[in-house]
Amino acid sequence: HAFLTALGHAHTHGHPITWHTLIPPTNTTPLPTYPFQHTHYWLNEKAADADVESAGLSRTDHPLLGATTTLAHSGETVLTGRLSPAQHGWLADHAVNGTVI
């Protein structure tokens, strides 16, 4: 590692280095000659409410907690939910440098 770092420093200071004797040549992947198309593939529709009962969960009436279940081995209750600025507009108020936290 130290040797290759020293060669890198020598190369950046103008000394000629024969790299192909140190690093064997490999096949390269040709890149397209056109600019990449900016095509977005994510879904823009609002996600429908999931059918939590079909997953073995119980639906709740809580605005933030969507489902609940009880663990078989311990009897503990597990609550789950989805937080999304699309469903809860006030979440967009909590942002740092334009990124919602």
Side-chain angles (χ1 to χ4, degrees):
H1 179 7
F3 179 69
L4 290 176
T5 302
L7 283 177
H9 286 293
H11 176 70
T12 57
H13 286 91
H15 299 284
I17 306 293
T18 313
W19 291 106
H20 63 82
T21 58
L22 295 172
I23 303 170
T26 60
N27 295 335
T28 59
T29 302
L31 295 176
T33 57
Y34 58 90
F36 292 101
Q37 296 174 353
H38 298 284
T39 305
H40 303 289
Y41 295 100
W42 52 79
L43 301 175
N44 293 326
E45 295 91 28
K46 181 180 176 183
D49 289 338
D51 180 21
V52 296
E53 284 91 6
S54 66
L57 304 173
S58 301
R59 187 175 298 277
T60 66
D61 293 327
H62 193 277
L64 299 178
L65 301 173
T68 181
T69 190
T70 303
L71 299 178
H73 68 282
S74 65
E76 295 176 335
T77 300
V78 176
L79 304 168
T80 182
R82 177 183 299 171
L83 296 176
S84 167
Q87 294 176 346
H88 307 96
W90 53 270
L91 287 174
D93 295 340
H94 299 81
V96 174
N97 291 330
T99 301
V100 178
I101 338 180

